């Protein structure tokens, strides 16, 4: 009997030890808007500071595949993440994560913009010209989960002008911001989706490349990207994360931290936020899905109505979640 008790105690001790080890780890997911190693280099000083502030080991997962970061949040292999607004919707809708902060740019702006870029030597000077010459130009879209690379130009540029990219362009490819820039610079495509955050970085760090491109369209402002954490984190860890990010660049190591923020995405810091910041993006996403559904020639009127009802119900629930966050 005593042996069984001792064995049970040993097993319990091992489980507690494993739990303690797990509790000492925090994994942060980062979307790769440039090359993965470039993102790691820019964020590593902040990650090191986060580890010191929380007293925990902090691991990092970086991926150009936004869905990979969201899946990590859902599966609890990632506990905190930087995401675009559009893909953050998926994490919030799952009920597993919530927005706790958002980025603030060095100029104090609360948002950024989607742009379309082409080569500075290109004869293409405007989107009006692009619309009048179907079948002439090749286009690089962003990832379908990207806010500035896909959702915003899809709505504000193409949907509002009743234009289908697949019918307008000679060829359409999809990639991330880094590959889109390369495609334009190498003249693999004529025009590509990009954003003002990446443009600002390019102007400072690669002015020669910046001078080789031209912006032919700029969108309305998009809210700055959010930071999210899992809802089931301990309140103590949530408090540590909120305090760390909202105070980063303001403490005794302000000079070094401000330099880190500037290198990440020309930031001045982070401010508290919540899920309500995603409401405008949710509205655009809903419109995009309904528009795709409406234009799908393979669906019967009955099937289109069924999908319309399903999508409307889904986004009605999501909208309620976002609105309740605004009130809290």
């Amino acid at each position: 009997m005593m042996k069984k008790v001792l064995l049970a105690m040993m097993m319990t001790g091992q489980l507690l030890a494993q739990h303690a080890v797990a509790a000492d780890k925090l994994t942060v997911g980062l979307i790769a808007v440039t090359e993965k190693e470039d993102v790691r280099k820019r964020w590593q000083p902040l990650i090191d500071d986060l580890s010191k502030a929380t007293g925990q080991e902090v691991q990092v997962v970086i991926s150009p595949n936004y869905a990979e970061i969201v899946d990590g949040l859902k599966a609890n292999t990632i506990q905190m993440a930087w995401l675009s607004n559009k893909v953050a919707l998926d994490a919030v809708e799952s009920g597993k994560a919530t927005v706790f902060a958002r980025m603030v740019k060095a100029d104090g702006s609360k948002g950024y913009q989607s742009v379309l870029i082409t080569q500075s030597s290109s004869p293409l000077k405007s989107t009006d010209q692009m619309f009048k010459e179907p079948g002439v130009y090749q286009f690089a879209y962003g990832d379908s989960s990207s806010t500035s690379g896909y959702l915003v130009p899809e709505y504000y540029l193409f949907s509002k002008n009743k234009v289908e990219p697949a019918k307008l362009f000679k060829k359409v490819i999809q990639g991330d911001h880094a590959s889109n820039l390369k495609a334009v610079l190498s003249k693999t495509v004529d025009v590509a989706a990009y954003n003002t955050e990446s443009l600002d970085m390019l102007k400072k760090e690669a002015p020669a490349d910046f001078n080789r491109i031209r912006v032919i369209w700029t969108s309305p402002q998009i809210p700055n990207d959010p930071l999210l954490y899992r809802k089931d984190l301990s309140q103590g860890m949530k408090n540590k994360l909120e305090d760390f990010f909202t105070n980063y660049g303001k403490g005794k190591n302000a000079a070094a931290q401000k330099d880190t923020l500037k290198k990440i995405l020309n930031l001045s810091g982070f401010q508290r936020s919540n899920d309500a910041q995603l409401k405008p993006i949710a509205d655009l996403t809903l419109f995009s899905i309904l528009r795709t559904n409406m234009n799908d020639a393979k669906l019967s009127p009955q099937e289109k109505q069924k999908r319309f009802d399903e999508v409307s119900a889904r986004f009605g629930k999501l909208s309620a979640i976002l609105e309740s966050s605004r009130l809290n």
Side-chain angles (χ1 to χ4, degrees):
M1 182 67 179
M2 182 60 69
K3 288 183 177 179
K4 290 183 178 180
V5 172
L6 289 173
L7 181 60
M9 291 176 65
M10 289 174 62
M11 292 178 66
T12 301
Q14 289 174 347
L15 288 172
L16 290 173
Q18 290 173 0
H19 178 74
V21 170
D24 287 338
K25 291 185 178 180
L26 175 66
T27 300
V28 176
L30 303 173
I31 52 177
V33 295
T34 58
E35 300 295 337
K36 289 172 65 173
E37 287 310 308
D38 178 61
V39 174
R40 187 181 302 278
K41 180 180 178 181
R42 293 174 188 276
W43 279 82
Q44 195 59 54
L46 182 147
I47 297 299
D48 292 340
D49 290 339
L50 177 60
S51 180
K52 293 175 184 176
T54 59
Q56 303 201 187
E57 176 185 354
V58 179
Q59 297 181 343
V60 179
V61 173
I62 304 171
S63 177
N65 182 353
Y66 295 10
E68 183 178 338
I69 305 299
V70 175
D71 289 344
L73 275 174
K74 293 178 181 178
N76 201 21
T77 55
I78 292 173
Q79 290 74 45
M80 195 215 99
W82 161 44
L83 295 170
S84 73
N85 286 282
K86 182 178 185 296
V87 76
L89 276 174
D90 187 13
V92 169
E93 187 178 12
S94 74
K96 300 295 185 181
T98 188
V99 173
F100 72 91
R102 70 175 176 180
M103 295 174 163
V104 179
K105 304 311 272 305
D107 62 3
S109 63
K110 297 181 180 179
Y112 63 108
Q113 294 160 302
S114 172
V115 295
L116 255 60
I117 59 172
T118 186
Q119 304 94 1
S120 58
S121 59
S122 170
L124 184 58
K125 300 291 196 298
S126 70
T127 53
D128 285 341
Q129 179 185 346
M130 186 175 73
F131 292 149
K132 291 175 182 177
E133 299 178 307
V136 173
Y137 304 106
Q138 299 186 83
F139 176 59
Y141 238 152
D143 184 286
S144 58
S145 296
S146 172
T147 303
S148 61
Y150 183 85
L151 179 62
V152 169
E154 166 73 12
Y155 175 74
Y156 285 107
L157 180 60
F158 298 119
S159 293
K160 285 206 165 189
N161 286 288
K162 299 179 180 179
V163 171
E164 291 289 335
K167 296 178 181 179
L168 173 64
F169 295 106
K170 181 179 180 181
K171 181 180 179 182
V172 176
I173 64 173
Q174 280 190 282
D176 53 35
H177 292 299
S179 63
N180 282 3
L181 174 64
K182 287 181 180 179
V184 169
L185 291 175
S186 65
K187 298 186 178 181
T188 304
V189 300
D190 301 289
V191 62
Y194 207 52
N195 66 56
T196 52
E197 288 183 328
S198 299
L199 273 179
D200 291 342
M201 191 185 303
L202 188 70
K203 185 176 182 178
K204 290 183 179 181
E205 300 178 5
D209 286 341
F210 177 81
N211 290 330
R212 291 173 58 199
I213 62 175
R214 174 194 300 131
V215 174
I216 62 170
W217 176 79
T218 302
S219 77
Q221 190 179 78
I222 307 165
N224 282 334
D225 288 347
L227 301 181
L228 302 90
Y229 53 46
R230 278 184 58 90
K231 286 185 174 181
D232 60 2
L233 283 178
S234 69
Q235 190 58 50
M237 177 54 70
K238 290 178 181 178
N239 292 341
K240 286 181 180 179
L241 290 173
E242 291 172 10
D243 290 344
F244 172 80
F245 280 97
T246 55
N247 291 309
Y248 198 75
K250 303 173 184 176
K252 60 181 180 180
N253 297 319
Q257 291 177 356
K258 285 180 179 179
D259 184 60
T260 295
L261 288 166
K262 190 173 183 180
K263 289 177 179 176
I264 289 175
L265 270 177
N266 197 29
L267 304 178
S268 63
F270 304 88
Q271 65 179 190
R272 293 185 189 276
S273 188
N274 56 41
D275 296 340
Q277 89 160 62
L278 304 178
K279 182 64 169 61
I281 305 303
D283 293 340
L284 295 186
T285 303
L286 171 60
F287 177 86
S288 179
I289 293 174
L290 292 179
R291 176 175 175 269
T292 300
N293 174 63
M294 181 181 67
N295 293 330
D296 191 340
K298 297 179 182 178
L299 298 177
S300 69
Q302 293 78 12
E303 290 172 323
K304 288 183 179 182
Q305 184 61 50
K306 182 181 178 181
R307 291 195 182 184
F308 176 87
D309 293 339
E310 291 172 348
V311 171
S312 297
R314 173 192 163 196
F315 275 82
K317 292 178 181 178
L318 179 56
S319 181
I321 293 172
L322 302 182
E323 287 296 341
S324 66
S325 179
R326 189 190 306 276
L327 297 174
N328 292 335

